[in-house]
Amino acid sequence: MITILSIETATKNCSVSLSVTGKVVACKEIAEENFSHAEKLHVYIEDILKENNKTLKDLSAIAISQGPGSYTGLRIGVSSVKGLCYGLSIPLIALDTLEILARQIEITEGLIIPMLDARRMEVFAVPFDKNYVKQGVIEAIVVDEHTFSTYTNVKLHLIGDGAMKCKEVLSGEQFIYYLDVTYPSAWQMGAMAYEKYMKDEFVDVAYFEPFYLKDFVLIQKKK
């Protein structure tokens, strides 16, 4: 019985799930404007294990959403799971944040484009096909009316908090918006993590770093 704890902290959503042999049995999450990851993450881990009669020693591995996303959120999530994996001597599984988001919807045609807010009109994005196979590389894109113009006669399914703020810029029958799909969730991570576990696709606990995509820049408030 493979028991995996999955943690998603790349956005405003602090999300924790527990899965057994690829099936999610519990998930706790909250999305707050001011990022509550530091306060909520370890509480959620303790709660979800206790409520399912598990302890840390029952875990086969821990999965983490690796980014891109919030510098602060990723740092909190990754540092927490690295400490747990090291202390428990269990594997660490890294999952693509945008794929986690993409897996919240199913399509029969076109492309899924998960988009995470990266300030102003910039987003982190990459297309996925209906089988969740990545169609390109993850980029930080400044959205305007010409964004995705290379995709002609293709339905584009836009999801995530980055997509929502671009609705007025990218309009037309080609673009399909999912207003209720805002943040990636640990709920989708259970099956993904189990698949990687069975293939022994682990990362080095000592050297693993989040995928920030962009360098962290400290901005001082104007007086």
Side-chain angles (χ1 to χ4, degrees):
M1 185 166 62
I2 308 302
T3 303
I4 299 178
L5 185 73
S6 296
I7 294 173
E8 159 53 49
T9 59
T11 65
K12 294 175 183 177
N13 194 28
C14 179
S15 183
V16 179
S17 73
L18 186 70
S19 60
V20 178
T21 319
K23 183 178 180 180
V24 174
V25 296
C27 183
K28 293 178 73 74
E29 58 188 357
I30 187 171
E32 294 183 326
E33 190 66 27
N34 295 322
F35 287 89
S36 57
H37 303 57
E39 296 79 17
K40 303 288 188 182
L41 180 57
H42 287 283
V43 174
Y44 281 4
I45 292 172
E46 293 176 3
D47 287 349
I48 209 167
L49 291 172
K50 184 177 180 180
E51 291 167 6
N52 290 274
N53 298 313
K54 301 287 186 182
T55 68
L56 289 172
K57 293 182 179 180
D58 293 318
L59 297 177
S60 307
I62 300 178
I64 184 68
S65 175
Q66 68 178 4
S70 157
Y71 178 90
T72 301
L74 288 169
R75 179 175 53 80
I76 291 172
V78 169
S79 61
S80 296
V81 299
K82 287 179 70 172
L84 289 171
C85 286
Y86 181 81
L88 297 167
S89 297
I90 58 176
L92 173 59
I93 300 168
L95 301 175
D96 186 321
T97 301
L98 289 173
E99 182 181 348
I100 296 168
L101 178 56
R103 286 179 178 269
Q104 290 196 41
I105 65 171
E106 296 180 0
I107 63 171
T108 56
E109 62 174 343
L111 295 170
I112 303 171
I113 303 184
M115 306 171 75
L116 294 179
D117 187 358
R119 293 185 178 179
R120 300 184 180 86
M121 291 303 291
E122 192 172 29
V123 297
F124 300 131
V126 68
F128 289 84
D129 67 14
K130 64 181 181 180
N131 297 313
Y132 309 111
V133 177
K134 193 181 297 179
Q135 304 296 300
V137 297
I138 299 173
E139 297 180 290
I141 301 170
V142 177
V143 177
D144 59 28
E145 63 271 19
H146 302 296
T147 303
F148 306 128
S149 60
T150 56
Y151 297 99
T152 57
N153 300 318
V154 178
K155 291 290 185 182
L156 300 180
H157 303 261
L158 306 180
I159 60 176
D161 62 345
M164 299 308 104
K165 70 177 185 178
C166 301
K167 198 171 188 301
E168 294 183 4
V169 179
L170 300 174
S171 60
E173 294 183 358
Q174 179 185 20
F175 300 101
I176 303 170
Y177 287 87
Y178 297 75
L179 298 176
D180 58 338
V181 182
T182 308
Y183 302 118
S185 168
W187 186 272
Q188 278 69 42
M189 295 174 67
M192 296 170 65
Y194 179 68
E195 183 178 347
K196 285 207 168 191
Y197 183 93
M198 297 305 292
K199 295 178 180 178
D200 291 332
E201 294 183 5
F202 310 126
V203 296
D204 190 307
V205 174
Y207 295 101
F208 175 72
E209 293 292 336
F211 175 48
Y212 295 117
L213 187 59
K214 292 172 61 179
D215 292 334
F216 175 67
V217 178
L218 180 63
I219 300 176
Q220 293 183 336
K221 290 184 177 181
K222 294 181 179 179
K223 293 183 179 180

